[in-house]
């Protein structure tokens, strides 16, 4: 099965469209491309990239343009569209968008302050993901304190605070602050930031997680999200906790 490397793009030469197929070319030059996982780009080929091998992935939006659907092979980008927040007024881009409300959230495997795994299955009830850059900044630390205070009276709701800090730093903070009503975990050796679209791709905090909220119901379905307008701002605690309680 081949793509026709015509000047205006190619088309798969057979009527079938498998879920995933790698299409080689006679020779390779220039960038190597793959279709984004949430796109159906099998009808298109970037004119400037031919001839080159393309990995085709079945998706959901056959009307998307080539520029939206094809990303460099190995770019490890799960979301085609990037979201924008800011850091002290300067725009900052993330690697993708937050999970869609009404859809299952990505799975995650984080590291707890005691170095044990933290997953969705290990947390009871609905889950509030409080995501932030670093526990060593004032706003991030305050968000953990606030959720810790507000979570004390909640039933069947777990608050999970996530950053890319090392578990040792998180543990020191929790011990010093008496944090007992929320779970704090690190994504330092996982793909959490990319999977949830919250890793900042530019700005002075590039590589850290953008301040955001994701609320999951008991089945792991997303019921509420927030990407703050500015990383220096606190999240909307009331909206997150109302969503977690089904309000």
């Amino acid at each position: 099965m081949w793509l026709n490397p015509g000047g205006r793009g190619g088309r798969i030469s057979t009527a079938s469209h498998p879920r995933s197929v790698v299409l080689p070319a006679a020779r390779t030059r220039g960038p190597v491309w793959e279709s984004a996982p949430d796109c159906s780009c099998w009808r298109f080929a970037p004119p400037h990239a031919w001839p080159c091998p393309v990995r085709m992935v079945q998706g959901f939006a056959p009307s998307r343009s080539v520029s939206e659907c094809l990303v460099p092979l190995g770019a490890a980008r799960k979301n085609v569209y990037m979201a924008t927040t800011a850091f002290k007024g300067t725009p900052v881009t993330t690697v993708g968008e937050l999970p869609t409300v009404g859809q299952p959230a990505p799975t995650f495997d984080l590291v707890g302050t005691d170095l044990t795994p933290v997953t969705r299955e290990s947390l009871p009830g609905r889950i509030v993901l409080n995501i932030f850059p670093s526990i060593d900044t004032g706003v991030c630390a305050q968000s953990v304190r606030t959720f810790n205070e507000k979570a004390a009276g909640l039933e069947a709701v777990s608050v999970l605070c996530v950053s890319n800090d090392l578990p040792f730093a998180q543990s020191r903070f929790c011990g010093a602050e008496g944090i007992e009503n929320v779970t704090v975990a690190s994504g330092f050796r996982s793909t959490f930031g990319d999977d949830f679209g919250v890793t900042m791709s530019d700005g002075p905090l590039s590589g850290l997680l953008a301040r955001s909220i994701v609320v999951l119901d008991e089945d792991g379905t997303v019921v509420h999200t927030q990407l703050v307008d500015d990383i220096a701002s606190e999240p909307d605690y009331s909206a997150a906790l109302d969503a977690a309680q089904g309000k």
Side-chain angles (χ1 to χ4, degrees), residues 31-69:
V32 180
W33 295 79
E34 65 179 340
S35 63
D38 63 348
C39 258
S40 180
C41 302
W42 55 273
R43 296 185 303 155
F44 304 99
H48 58 282
W50 292 107
C52 70
V54 174
R55 176 173 296 158
M56 309 309 298
V57 182
Q58 184 178 8
F60 308 100
S63 62
R64 295 244 187 112
S65 69
V66 171
S67 62
E68 291 175 320
C69 284

PDB file of all heavy atoms in Angstrom, residues 31-69:
ATOM      1  N   PRO A  31      12.157  15.978   6.139  1.00  0.00           N
ATOM      2  CA  PRO A  31      11.557  15.506   7.387  1.00  0.00           C
ATOM      3  C   PRO A  31      10.716  14.256   7.182  1.00  0.00           C
ATOM      4  O   PRO A  31      10.207  13.998   6.097  1.00  0.00           O
ATOM      5  CB  PRO A  31      10.672  16.688   7.809  1.00  0.00           C
ATOM      6  CG  PRO A  31      10.333  17.376   6.523  1.00  0.00           C
ATOM      7  CD  PRO A  31      11.549  17.233   5.657  1.00  0.00           C
ATOM      8  N   VAL A  32      10.622  13.485   8.209  1.00  0.00           N
ATOM      9  CA  VAL A  32       9.755  12.315   8.213  1.00  0.00           C
ATOM     10  C   VAL A  32       8.513  12.675   9.006  1.00  0.00           C
ATOM     11  O   VAL A  32       8.596  13.256  10.074  1.00  0.00           O
ATOM     12  CB  VAL A  32      10.458  11.107   8.857  1.00  0.00           C
ATOM     13  CG1 VAL A  32       9.548   9.892   8.852  1.00  0.00           C
ATOM     14  CG2 VAL A  32      11.741  10.804   8.101  1.00  0.00           C
ATOM     15  N   TRP A  33       7.329  12.333   8.478  1.00  0.00           N
ATOM     16  CA  TRP A  33       6.084  12.789   9.072  1.00  0.00           C
ATOM     17  C   TRP A  33       5.220  11.626   9.488  1.00  0.00           C
ATOM     18  O   TRP A  33       5.310  10.539   8.960  1.00  0.00           O
ATOM     19  CB  TRP A  33       5.302  13.645   8.073  1.00  0.00           C
ATOM     20  CG  TRP A  33       5.995  14.912   7.715  1.00  0.00           C
ATOM     21  CD1 TRP A  33       7.029  15.061   6.837  1.00  0.00           C
ATOM     22  CD2 TRP A  33       5.727  16.211   8.245  1.00  0.00           C
ATOM     23  NE1 TRP A  33       7.429  16.374   6.784  1.00  0.00           N
ATOM     24  CE2 TRP A  33       6.639  17.107   7.627  1.00  0.00           C
ATOM     25  CE3 TRP A  33       4.803  16.706   9.161  1.00  0.00           C
ATOM     26  CZ2 TRP A  33       6.655  18.459   7.908  1.00  0.00           C
ATOM     27  CZ3 TRP A  33       4.807  18.061   9.434  1.00  0.00           C
ATOM     28  CH2 TRP A  33       5.736  18.913   8.812  1.00  0.00           C
ATOM     29  N   GLU A  34       4.336  11.873  10.446  1.00  0.00           N
ATOM     30  CA  GLU A  34       3.313  10.919  10.824  1.00  0.00           C
ATOM     31  C   GLU A  34       2.018  11.683  11.039  1.00  0.00           C
ATOM     32  O   GLU A  34       2.024  12.876  11.328  1.00  0.00           O
ATOM     33  CB  GLU A  34       3.677  10.164  12.099  1.00  0.00           C
ATOM     34  CG  GLU A  34       3.759  11.033  13.340  1.00  0.00           C
ATOM     35  CD  GLU A  34       4.100  10.231  14.573  1.00  0.00           C
ATOM     36  OE1 GLU A  34       3.891   9.010  14.533  1.00  0.00           O
ATOM     37  OE2 GLU A  34       4.545  10.823  15.562  1.00  0.00           O
ATOM     38  N   SER A  35       0.899  10.976  10.896  1.00  0.00           N
ATOM     39  CA  SER A  35      -0.367  11.643  11.135  1.00  0.00           C
ATOM     40  C   SER A  35      -0.606  11.710  12.628  1.00  0.00           C
ATOM     41  O   SER A  35      -0.264  10.813  13.376  1.00  0.00           O
ATOM     42  CB  SER A  35      -1.511  10.895  10.454  1.00  0.00           C
ATOM     43  OG  SER A  35      -1.648   9.611  10.987  1.00  0.00           O
ATOM     44  N   ALA A  36      -1.169  12.812  13.068  1.00  0.00           N
ATOM     45  CA  ALA A  36      -1.469  12.990  14.482  1.00  0.00           C
ATOM     46  C   ALA A  36      -2.520  11.979  14.909  1.00  0.00           C
ATOM     47  O   ALA A  36      -3.439  11.672  14.163  1.00  0.00           O
ATOM     48  CB  ALA A  36      -1.969  14.408  14.733  1.00  0.00           C
ATOM     49  N   PRO A  37      -2.416  11.442  16.137  1.00  0.00           N
ATOM     50  CA  PRO A  37      -3.324  10.398  16.583  1.00  0.00           C
ATOM     51  C   PRO A  37      -4.793  10.779  16.585  1.00  0.00           C
ATOM     52  O   PRO A  37      -5.649   9.932  16.473  1.00  0.00           O
ATOM     53  CB  PRO A  37      -2.835  10.094  18.004  1.00  0.00           C
ATOM     54  CG  PRO A  37      -1.408  10.504  18.001  1.00  0.00           C
ATOM     55  CD  PRO A  37      -1.335  11.688  17.088  1.00  0.00           C
ATOM     56  N   ASP A  38      -5.112  12.078  16.724  1.00  0.00           N
ATOM     57  CA  ASP A  38      -6.520  12.458  16.742  1.00  0.00           C
ATOM     58  C   ASP A  38      -6.980  12.996  15.398  1.00  0.00           C
ATOM     59  O   ASP A  38      -7.976  13.675  15.297  1.00  0.00           O
ATOM     60  CB  ASP A  38      -6.797  13.475  17.847  1.00  0.00           C
ATOM     61  CG  ASP A  38      -6.042  14.783  17.636  1.00  0.00           C
ATOM     62  OD1 ASP A  38      -5.142  14.801  16.778  1.00  0.00           O
ATOM     63  OD2 ASP A  38      -6.350  15.765  18.326  1.00  0.00           O
ATOM     64  N   CYS A  39      -6.229  12.674  14.346  1.00  0.00           N
ATOM     65  CA  CYS A  39      -6.601  13.112  13.004  1.00  0.00           C
ATOM     66  C   CYS A  39      -6.772  11.908  12.092  1.00  0.00           C
ATOM     67  O   CYS A  39      -6.171  10.861  12.308  1.00  0.00           O
ATOM     68  CB  CYS A  39      -5.497  13.997  12.415  1.00  0.00           C
ATOM     69  SG  CYS A  39      -5.845  15.749  12.472  1.00  0.00           S
ATOM     70  N   SER A  40      -7.561  12.071  11.077  1.00  0.00           N
ATOM     71  CA  SER A  40      -7.605  11.087  10.004  1.00  0.00           C
ATOM     72  C   SER A  40      -7.016  11.758   8.778  1.00  0.00           C
ATOM     73  O   SER A  40      -7.687  12.461   8.043  1.00  0.00           O
ATOM     74  CB  SER A  40      -9.046  10.649   9.742  1.00  0.00           C
ATOM     75  OG  SER A  40      -9.070   9.697   8.705  1.00  0.00           O
ATOM     76  N   CYS A  41      -5.718  11.580   8.595  1.00  0.00           N
ATOM     77  CA  CYS A  41      -5.003  12.323   7.561  1.00  0.00           C
ATOM     78  C   CYS A  41      -4.648  11.438   6.379  1.00  0.00           C
ATOM     79  O   CYS A  41      -3.795  11.785   5.580  1.00  0.00           O
ATOM     80  CB  CYS A  41      -3.720  12.914   8.139  1.00  0.00           C
ATOM     81  SG  CYS A  41      -4.013  13.979   9.531  1.00  0.00           S
ATOM     82  N   TRP A  42      -5.272  10.289   6.311  1.00  0.00           N
ATOM     83  CA  TRP A  42      -4.855   9.335   5.293  1.00  0.00           C
ATOM     84  C   TRP A  42      -5.087   9.842   3.879  1.00  0.00           C
ATOM     85  O   TRP A  42      -4.540   9.325   2.924  1.00  0.00           O
ATOM     86  CB  TRP A  42      -5.567   8.016   5.508  1.00  0.00           C
ATOM     87  CG  TRP A  42      -7.066   8.123   5.555  1.00  0.00           C
ATOM     88  CD1 TRP A  42      -7.836   8.395   6.642  1.00  0.00           C
ATOM     89  CD2 TRP A  42      -7.972   7.954   4.467  1.00  0.00           C
ATOM     90  NE1 TRP A  42      -9.155   8.420   6.318  1.00  0.00           N
ATOM     91  CE2 TRP A  42      -9.282   8.138   4.988  1.00  0.00           C
ATOM     92  CE3 TRP A  42      -7.830   7.664   3.121  1.00  0.00           C
ATOM     93  CZ2 TRP A  42     -10.408   8.043   4.189  1.00  0.00           C
ATOM     94  CZ3 TRP A  42      -8.958   7.560   2.332  1.00  0.00           C
ATOM     95  CH2 TRP A  42     -10.228   7.755   2.855  1.00  0.00           C
ATOM     96  N   ARG A  43      -5.906  10.893   3.719  1.00  0.00           N
ATOM     97  CA  ARG A  43      -6.167  11.385   2.380  1.00  0.00           C
ATOM     98  C   ARG A  43      -5.144  12.425   1.932  1.00  0.00           C
ATOM     99  O   ARG A  43      -5.175  12.881   0.810  1.00  0.00           O
ATOM    100  CB  ARG A  43      -7.564  12.013   2.323  1.00  0.00           C
ATOM    101  CG  ARG A  43      -8.668  11.023   2.589  1.00  0.00           C
ATOM    102  CD  ARG A  43     -10.025  11.665   2.409  1.00  0.00           C
ATOM    103  NE  ARG A  43     -10.171  12.833   3.272  1.00  0.00           N
ATOM    104  CZ  ARG A  43     -10.994  13.835   3.007  1.00  0.00           C
ATOM    105  NH1 ARG A  43     -11.722  13.814   1.908  1.00  0.00           N
ATOM    106  NH2 ARG A  43     -11.102  14.853   3.837  1.00  0.00           N
ATOM    107  N   PHE A  44      -4.273  12.801   2.838  1.00  0.00           N
ATOM    108  CA  PHE A  44      -3.392  13.910   2.528  1.00  0.00           C
ATOM    109  C   PHE A  44      -1.923  13.521   2.609  1.00  0.00           C
ATOM    110  O   PHE A  44      -1.550  12.575   3.267  1.00  0.00           O
ATOM    111  CB  PHE A  44      -3.640  15.070   3.506  1.00  0.00           C
ATOM    112  CG  PHE A  44      -5.066  15.526   3.533  1.00  0.00           C
ATOM    113  CD1 PHE A  44      -5.919  15.088   4.530  1.00  0.00           C
ATOM    114  CD2 PHE A  44      -5.548  16.371   2.563  1.00  0.00           C
ATOM    115  CE1 PHE A  44      -7.234  15.493   4.576  1.00  0.00           C
ATOM    116  CE2 PHE A  44      -6.861  16.788   2.601  1.00  0.00           C
ATOM    117  CZ  PHE A  44      -7.707  16.351   3.608  1.00  0.00           C
ATOM    118  N   ALA A  45      -1.095  14.309   1.962  1.00  0.00           N
ATOM    119  CA  ALA A  45       0.352  14.154   2.066  1.00  0.00           C
ATOM    120  C   ALA A  45       0.971  15.534   1.909  1.00  0.00           C
ATOM    121  O   ALA A  45       0.573  16.282   1.024  1.00  0.00           O
ATOM    122  CB  ALA A  45       0.880  13.227   0.987  1.00  0.00           C
ATOM    123  N   PRO A  46       1.943  15.903   2.759  1.00  0.00           N
ATOM    124  CA  PRO A  46       2.536  17.238   2.650  1.00  0.00           C
ATOM    125  C   PRO A  46       3.434  17.342   1.428  1.00  0.00           C
ATOM    126  O   PRO A  46       4.402  16.602   1.305  1.00  0.00           O
ATOM    127  CB  PRO A  46       3.355  17.363   3.945  1.00  0.00           C
ATOM    128  CG  PRO A  46       3.670  15.953   4.311  1.00  0.00           C
ATOM    129  CD  PRO A  46       2.522  15.118   3.847  1.00  0.00           C
ATOM    130  N   PRO A  47       3.160  18.236   0.487  1.00  0.00           N
ATOM    131  CA  PRO A  47       3.934  18.300  -0.756  1.00  0.00           C
ATOM    132  C   PRO A  47       5.415  18.496  -0.516  1.00  0.00           C
ATOM    133  O   PRO A  47       6.236  17.940  -1.239  1.00  0.00           O
ATOM    134  CB  PRO A  47       3.328  19.522  -1.475  1.00  0.00           C
ATOM    135  CG  PRO A  47       1.955  19.669  -0.894  1.00  0.00           C
ATOM    136  CD  PRO A  47       2.088  19.231   0.543  1.00  0.00           C
ATOM    137  N   HIS A  48       5.764  19.276   0.514  1.00  0.00           N
ATOM    138  CA  HIS A  48       7.178  19.582   0.730  1.00  0.00           C
ATOM    139  C   HIS A  48       7.918  18.429   1.414  1.00  0.00           C
ATOM    140  O   HIS A  48       9.126  18.491   1.573  1.00  0.00           O
ATOM    141  CB  HIS A  48       7.311  20.839   1.586  1.00  0.00           C
ATOM    142  CG  HIS A  48       6.644  20.725   2.921  1.00  0.00           C
ATOM    143  ND1 HIS A  48       5.282  20.843   3.068  1.00  0.00           N
ATOM    144  CD2 HIS A  48       7.143  20.477   4.152  1.00  0.00           C
ATOM    145  CE1 HIS A  48       4.974  20.695   4.339  1.00  0.00           C
ATOM    146  NE2 HIS A  48       6.076  20.466   5.013  1.00  0.00           N
ATOM    147  N   ALA A  49       7.194  17.413   1.848  1.00  0.00           N
ATOM    148  CA  ALA A  49       7.842  16.331   2.590  1.00  0.00           C
ATOM    149  C   ALA A  49       8.097  15.101   1.743  1.00  0.00           C
ATOM    150  O   ALA A  49       8.729  14.164   2.198  1.00  0.00           O
ATOM    151  CB  ALA A  49       6.986  15.942   3.791  1.00  0.00           C
ATOM    152  N   TRP A  50       7.566  15.065   0.518  1.00  0.00           N
ATOM    153  CA  TRP A  50       7.738  13.873  -0.298  1.00  0.00           C
ATOM    154  C   TRP A  50       9.054  13.923  -1.031  1.00  0.00           C
ATOM    155  O   TRP A  50       9.512  14.991  -1.418  1.00  0.00           O
ATOM    156  CB  TRP A  50       6.584  13.753  -1.289  1.00  0.00           C
ATOM    157  CG  TRP A  50       5.303  13.463  -0.601  1.00  0.00           C
ATOM    158  CD1 TRP A  50       4.261  14.307  -0.406  1.00  0.00           C
ATOM    159  CD2 TRP A  50       4.933  12.243   0.029  1.00  0.00           C
ATOM    160  NE1 TRP A  50       3.266  13.707   0.291  1.00  0.00           N
ATOM    161  CE2 TRP A  50       3.642  12.433   0.572  1.00  0.00           C
ATOM    162  CE3 TRP A  50       5.559  11.000   0.190  1.00  0.00           C
ATOM    163  CZ2 TRP A  50       2.978  11.435   1.259  1.00  0.00           C
ATOM    164  CZ3 TRP A  50       4.894  10.014   0.864  1.00  0.00           C
ATOM    165  CH2 TRP A  50       3.622  10.230   1.396  1.00  0.00           C
ATOM    166  N   PRO A  51       9.646  12.722  -1.351  1.00  0.00           N
ATOM    167  CA  PRO A  51       9.153  11.425  -0.886  1.00  0.00           C
ATOM    168  C   PRO A  51       9.723  11.087   0.485  1.00  0.00           C
ATOM    169  O   PRO A  51      10.887  11.287   0.742  1.00  0.00           O
ATOM    170  CB  PRO A  51       9.670  10.451  -1.941  1.00  0.00           C
ATOM    171  CG  PRO A  51      10.942  11.093  -2.422  1.00  0.00           C
ATOM    172  CD  PRO A  51      10.742  12.601  -2.294  1.00  0.00           C
ATOM    173  N   CYS A  52       8.909  10.625   1.358  1.00  0.00           N
ATOM    174  CA  CYS A  52       9.366  10.181   2.669  1.00  0.00           C
ATOM    175  C   CYS A  52       8.349   9.217   3.233  1.00  0.00           C
ATOM    176  O   CYS A  52       7.191   9.229   2.824  1.00  0.00           O
ATOM    177  CB  CYS A  52       9.552  11.356   3.631  1.00  0.00           C
ATOM    178  SG  CYS A  52       8.014  12.125   4.135  1.00  0.00           S
ATOM    179  N   PRO A  53       8.768   8.340   4.150  1.00  0.00           N
ATOM    180  CA  PRO A  53       7.805   7.414   4.749  1.00  0.00           C
ATOM    181  C   PRO A  53       6.863   8.144   5.678  1.00  0.00           C
ATOM    182  O   PRO A  53       7.234   9.107   6.332  1.00  0.00           O
ATOM    183  CB  PRO A  53       8.691   6.432   5.522  1.00  0.00           C
ATOM    184  CG  PRO A  53       9.936   7.196   5.794  1.00  0.00           C
ATOM    185  CD  PRO A  53      10.126   8.121   4.635  1.00  0.00           C
ATOM    186  N   VAL A  54       5.614   7.691   5.717  1.00  0.00           N
ATOM    187  CA  VAL A  54       4.604   8.300   6.568  1.00  0.00           C
ATOM    188  C   VAL A  54       3.918   7.206   7.363  1.00  0.00           C
ATOM    189  O   VAL A  54       3.572   6.157   6.831  1.00  0.00           O
ATOM    190  CB  VAL A  54       3.552   9.051   5.717  1.00  0.00           C
ATOM    191  CG1 VAL A  54       2.415   9.553   6.611  1.00  0.00           C
ATOM    192  CG2 VAL A  54       4.190  10.213   4.989  1.00  0.00           C
ATOM    193  N   ARG A  55       3.742   7.440   8.649  1.00  0.00           N
ATOM    194  CA  ARG A  55       3.000   6.506   9.475  1.00  0.00           C
ATOM    195  C   ARG A  55       1.552   6.996   9.553  1.00  0.00           C
ATOM    196  O   ARG A  55       1.275   8.111   9.974  1.00  0.00           O
ATOM    197  CB  ARG A  55       3.594   6.420  10.885  1.00  0.00           C
ATOM    198  CG  ARG A  55       2.788   5.534  11.810  1.00  0.00           C
ATOM    199  CD  ARG A  55       3.506   5.353  13.123  1.00  0.00           C
ATOM    200  NE  ARG A  55       4.758   4.645  12.931  1.00  0.00           N
ATOM    201  CZ  ARG A  55       5.773   4.708  13.767  1.00  0.00           C
ATOM    202  NH1 ARG A  55       5.699   5.450  14.838  1.00  0.00           N
ATOM    203  NH2 ARG A  55       6.881   4.036  13.527  1.00  0.00           N
ATOM    204  N   MET A  56       0.625   6.163   9.168  1.00  0.00           N
ATOM    205  CA  MET A  56      -0.774   6.562   9.136  1.00  0.00           C
ATOM    206  C   MET A  56      -1.490   6.018  10.370  1.00  0.00           C
ATOM    207  O   MET A  56      -1.356   4.852  10.704  1.00  0.00           O
ATOM    208  CB  MET A  56      -1.462   5.996   7.887  1.00  0.00           C
ATOM    209  CG  MET A  56      -0.712   6.300   6.592  1.00  0.00           C
ATOM    210  SD  MET A  56      -0.315   8.043   6.423  1.00  0.00           S
ATOM    211  CE  MET A  56      -1.954   8.714   6.401  1.00  0.00           C
ATOM    212  N   VAL A  57      -2.239   6.857  11.039  1.00  0.00           N
ATOM    213  CA  VAL A  57      -2.993   6.449  12.211  1.00  0.00           C
ATOM    214  C   VAL A  57      -4.439   6.844  12.009  1.00  0.00           C
ATOM    215  O   VAL A  57      -4.731   8.004  11.724  1.00  0.00           O
ATOM    216  CB  VAL A  57      -2.457   7.110  13.494  1.00  0.00           C
ATOM    217  CG1 VAL A  57      -3.238   6.628  14.710  1.00  0.00           C
ATOM    218  CG2 VAL A  57      -0.980   6.824  13.661  1.00  0.00           C
ATOM    219  N   GLN A  58      -5.351   5.897  12.153  1.00  0.00           N
ATOM    220  CA  GLN A  58      -6.760   6.204  11.973  1.00  0.00           C
ATOM    221  C   GLN A  58      -7.210   7.207  13.020  1.00  0.00           C
ATOM    222  O   GLN A  58      -6.818   7.127  14.174  1.00  0.00           O
ATOM    223  CB  GLN A  58      -7.594   4.935  12.105  1.00  0.00           C
ATOM    224  CG  GLN A  58      -9.075   5.154  11.824  1.00  0.00           C
ATOM    225  CD  GLN A  58      -9.846   3.864  11.918  1.00  0.00           C
ATOM    226  OE1 GLN A  58      -9.310   2.860  12.332  1.00  0.00           O
ATOM    227  NE2 GLN A  58     -11.097   3.911  11.530  1.00  0.00           N
ATOM    228  N   GLY A  59      -8.025   8.145  12.632  1.00  0.00           N
ATOM    229  CA  GLY A  59      -8.438   9.170  13.554  1.00  0.00           C
ATOM    230  C   GLY A  59      -9.874   9.588  13.358  1.00  0.00           C
ATOM    231  O   GLY A  59     -10.699   8.793  12.943  1.00  0.00           O
ATOM    232  N   PHE A  60     -10.158  10.854  13.615  1.00  0.00           N
ATOM    233  CA  PHE A  60     -11.538  11.264  13.753  1.00  0.00           C
ATOM    234  C   PHE A  60     -11.908  12.527  12.983  1.00  0.00           C
ATOM    235  O   PHE A  60     -13.019  12.999  13.123  1.00  0.00           O
ATOM    236  CB  PHE A  60     -11.843  11.491  15.238  1.00  0.00           C
ATOM    237  CG  PHE A  60     -11.454  10.322  16.085  1.00  0.00           C
ATOM    238  CD1 PHE A  60     -10.270  10.328  16.801  1.00  0.00           C
ATOM    239  CD2 PHE A  60     -12.252   9.201  16.132  1.00  0.00           C
ATOM    240  CE1 PHE A  60      -9.905   9.239  17.566  1.00  0.00           C
ATOM    241  CE2 PHE A  60     -11.891   8.108  16.890  1.00  0.00           C
ATOM    242  CZ  PHE A  60     -10.714   8.130  17.614  1.00  0.00           C
ATOM    243  N   ALA A  61     -11.012  13.113  12.234  1.00  0.00           N
ATOM    244  CA  ALA A  61     -11.352  14.368  11.583  1.00  0.00           C
ATOM    245  C   ALA A  61     -10.794  14.416  10.165  1.00  0.00           C
ATOM    246  O   ALA A  61      -9.802  15.077   9.905  1.00  0.00           O
ATOM    247  CB  ALA A  61     -10.829  15.544  12.405  1.00  0.00           C
ATOM    248  N   PRO A  62     -11.409  13.711   9.211  1.00  0.00           N
ATOM    249  CA  PRO A  62     -10.850  13.644   7.861  1.00  0.00           C
ATOM    250  C   PRO A  62     -10.822  14.980   7.136  1.00  0.00           C
ATOM    251  O   PRO A  62     -10.160  15.115   6.126  1.00  0.00           O
ATOM    252  CB  PRO A  62     -11.789  12.668   7.156  1.00  0.00           C
ATOM    253  CG  PRO A  62     -13.040  12.688   7.945  1.00  0.00           C
ATOM    254  CD  PRO A  62     -12.627  12.925   9.359  1.00  0.00           C
ATOM    255  N   SER A  63     -11.524  15.990   7.665  1.00  0.00           N
ATOM    256  CA  SER A  63     -11.545  17.275   6.987  1.00  0.00           C
ATOM    257  C   SER A  63     -10.389  18.178   7.378  1.00  0.00           C
ATOM    258  O   SER A  63     -10.232  19.255   6.834  1.00  0.00           O
ATOM    259  CB  SER A  63     -12.865  17.995   7.298  1.00  0.00           C
ATOM    260  OG  SER A  63     -12.975  18.255   8.681  1.00  0.00           O
ATOM    261  N   ARG A  64      -9.582  17.757   8.345  1.00  0.00           N
ATOM    262  CA  ARG A  64      -8.478  18.609   8.790  1.00  0.00           C
ATOM    263  C   ARG A  64      -7.475  18.826   7.660  1.00  0.00           C
ATOM    264  O   ARG A  64      -7.309  18.002   6.774  1.00  0.00           O
ATOM    265  CB  ARG A  64      -7.750  17.957   9.966  1.00  0.00           C
ATOM    266  CG  ARG A  64      -8.625  17.826  11.212  1.00  0.00           C
ATOM    267  CD  ARG A  64      -8.058  18.657  12.330  1.00  0.00           C
ATOM    268  NE  ARG A  64      -8.817  18.390  13.555  1.00  0.00           N
ATOM    269  CZ  ARG A  64      -8.304  17.780  14.597  1.00  0.00           C
ATOM    270  NH1 ARG A  64      -7.044  17.396  14.585  1.00  0.00           N
ATOM    271  NH2 ARG A  64      -9.032  17.583  15.676  1.00  0.00           N
ATOM    272  N   SER A  65      -6.776  19.936   7.731  1.00  0.00           N
ATOM    273  CA  SER A  65      -5.770  20.243   6.720  1.00  0.00           C
ATOM    274  C   SER A  65      -4.483  19.480   6.999  1.00  0.00           C
ATOM    275  O   SER A  65      -4.280  18.936   8.080  1.00  0.00           O
ATOM    276  CB  SER A  65      -5.473  21.741   6.720  1.00  0.00           C
ATOM    277  OG  SER A  65      -4.807  22.099   7.914  1.00  0.00           O
ATOM    278  N   VAL A  66      -3.606  19.477   6.011  1.00  0.00           N
ATOM    279  CA  VAL A  66      -2.330  18.780   6.165  1.00  0.00           C
ATOM    280  C   VAL A  66      -1.537  19.343   7.330  1.00  0.00           C
ATOM    281  O   VAL A  66      -0.983  18.623   8.152  1.00  0.00           O
ATOM    282  CB  VAL A  66      -1.517  18.886   4.859  1.00  0.00           C
ATOM    283  CG1 VAL A  66      -0.105  18.360   5.073  1.00  0.00           C
ATOM    284  CG2 VAL A  66      -2.196  18.105   3.750  1.00  0.00           C
ATOM    285  N   SER A  67      -1.474  20.666   7.421  1.00  0.00           N
ATOM    286  CA  SER A  67      -0.665  21.283   8.472  1.00  0.00           C
ATOM    287  C   SER A  67      -1.181  20.940   9.855  1.00  0.00           C
ATOM    288  O   SER A  67      -0.428  20.897  10.823  1.00  0.00           O
ATOM    289  CB  SER A  67      -0.638  22.802   8.293  1.00  0.00           C
ATOM    290  OG  SER A  67      -1.943  23.333   8.405  1.00  0.00           O
ATOM    291  N   GLU A  68      -2.484  20.694   9.987  1.00  0.00           N
ATOM    292  CA  GLU A  68      -3.046  20.346  11.281  1.00  0.00           C
ATOM    293  C   GLU A  68      -2.860  18.871  11.590  1.00  0.00           C
ATOM    294  O   GLU A  68      -2.794  18.484  12.745  1.00  0.00           O
ATOM    295  CB  GLU A  68      -4.545  20.668  11.316  1.00  0.00           C
ATOM    296  CG  GLU A  68      -4.857  22.147  11.300  1.00  0.00           C
ATOM    297  CD  GLU A  68      -6.345  22.400  11.213  1.00  0.00           C
ATOM    298  OE1 GLU A  68      -7.023  21.677  10.457  1.00  0.00           O
ATOM    299  OE2 GLU A  68      -6.819  23.301  11.904  1.00  0.00           O
ATOM    300  N   CYS A  69      -2.794  18.059  10.538  1.00  0.00           N
ATOM    301  CA  CYS A  69      -2.835  16.617  10.749  1.00  0.00           C
ATOM    302  C   CYS A  69      -1.473  15.954  10.826  1.00  0.00           C
ATOM    303  O   CYS A  69      -1.332  14.911  11.440  1.00  0.00           O
ATOM    304  CB  CYS A  69      -3.621  15.944   9.630  1.00  0.00           C
ATOM    305  SG  CYS A  69      -5.391  16.160   9.793  1.00  0.00           S
TER     306      CYS A  69
END
